[in-house]
Amino acid sequence: DARVTQTPRHKVTEMGQEVTMRCQPILGHNTVFWYRQTMMQGLELLAYFRNRAPLDDSGMPKDRFSAEMPDATLATLKIQPSEPRDSAVYFCASGLDRSTDTQYFGPGTRLTVL
Amino acid sequence: AQSVTQPDIHITVSEGASLELRCNYSYGATPYLFWYVQSPGQGLQLLLKYFSGDTLVQGIKGFEAEFKRSQSSFNLRKPSVHWSDAAEYFCAVGATGGFKTIFGAGTRLFVKA
């Protein structure tokens, strides 16, 4: 049963610290998406990759967020420095080549910045 | 630009009652439409999707949705709701040739005994 995995599942950190979230997409999927979910803003697309290349990261605050895919089996989302307003659940999703395809979501990383 | 509207922030239905969740989309061409469900503490899971053909689409867990081009709608339905259906439901639209899927704000379903 192939699924997207995310680590850590929960992270509590203090303001100003660096946070790195990891995602392993489903083997064979070549698109990866990062979303942020909060009560106030709902589900927001932060960035997405196709064949490991970033296609759109316009949803990300550029000064503190960065997303990379070092290889086809790992996607990372980094926040440096973190702020309390970054507290949210961060989801990774993977899929095949087009927006017409199903996205498979990971369980999320719940981030709390104190 | 494509967009999705889910008019109802939350809905409460009695167990065993029928359910309809509304979704309206805005897109210039034939859209690709999805319904996802998110149970508490979990990621989103696909319920069903529409690309073309029969406008009534069957999904998992007894859900179905009907595409109505004239109304730009893709409403989700279930004839008899179970307590385990309590979750948040997201309608989404994908663009032909694009990579990004646009999600609605979600409708939270509460089921009362």
Side-chain angles (χ1 to χ4, degrees):
Chain A
D1 184 24
R3 58 184 67 190
V4 175
T5 59
Q6 289 186 249
T7 56
R9 291 294 311 276
H10 302 273
K11 176 73 175 179
V12 180
T13 191
E14 293 188 343
M15 183 173 61
Q17 296 299 304
E18 177 179 299
V19 175
T20 298
M21 292 169 272
R22 294 176 174 79
C23 166
Q24 182 172 11
I26 292 173
L27 191 64
H29 285 183
N30 64 344
T31 56
V32 173
F33 304 82
W34 281 106
Y35 293 90
R36 176 171 62 185
Q37 187 177 42
T38 62
M39 289 292 292
M40 294 300 295
Q41 300 296 328
L43 196 64
E44 303 174 274
L45 178 65
L46 297 176
Y48 64 102
F49 294 77
R50 178 172 177 259
N51 294 329
R52 296 176 54 202
L55 285 193
D56 187 347
D57 59 0
S58 59
M60 261 183 359
K62 297 294 190 303
D63 56 338
R64 299 183 300 107
F65 284 61
S66 62
E68 296 179 344
M69 280 200 73
D71 61 61
T73 64
L74 177 64
T76 62
L77 179 66
K78 188 175 294 185
I79 307 174
Q80 169 62 20
S82 58
E83 298 181 1
R85 59 180 168 154
D86 301 328
S87 297
V89 181
Y90 291 81
F91 289 104
C92 173
S94 71
L96 295 172
D97 214 16
R98 288 285 184 267
S99 64
T100 53
D101 296 312
T102 302
Q103 291 186 26
Y104 295 83
F105 282 74
T109 295
R110 180 174 294 277
L111 174 64
T112 303
V113 184
L114 302 174
Chain B
Q2 65 217 79
S3 66
V4 179
T5 302
Q6 294 181 247
D8 303 304
I9 296 173
H10 54 80
I11 282 183
T12 301
V13 299
S14 298
E15 191 170 16
S18 63
L19 169 70
E20 182 168 29
L21 301 182
R22 296 184 291 164
C23 172
N24 293 97
Y25 67 90
S26 173
Y27 183 61
T30 299
Y32 291 72
L33 296 161
F34 307 80
W35 275 100
Y36 286 82
V37 61
Q38 183 181 28
S39 297
Q42 298 185 27
L44 281 68
Q45 178 188 18
L46 182 74
L47 279 176
L48 49 80
K49 57 186 177 183
Y50 169 80
F51 289 169
S52 64
D54 194 346
T55 56
L56 186 63
V57 181
Q58 301 299 319
I60 62 171
K61 306 185 181 188
F63 285 91
E64 66 178 26
E66 186 171 12
F67 170 60
K68 292 185 177 179
R69 184 188 301 276
S70 61
Q71 299 178 17
S72 296
S73 70
F74 188 57
N75 294 349
L76 182 71
R77 300 195 296 248
K78 187 169 184 178
S80 177
V81 167
H82 187 262
W83 64 266
S84 61
D85 294 324
E88 187 148 22
Y89 292 80
F90 293 89
C91 182
V93 61
T96 306
F99 300 97
K100 193 162 65 173
T101 300
I102 304 299
F103 286 83
T107 297
R108 184 167 292 278
L109 172 66
F110 297 95
V111 180
K112 59 182 181 181

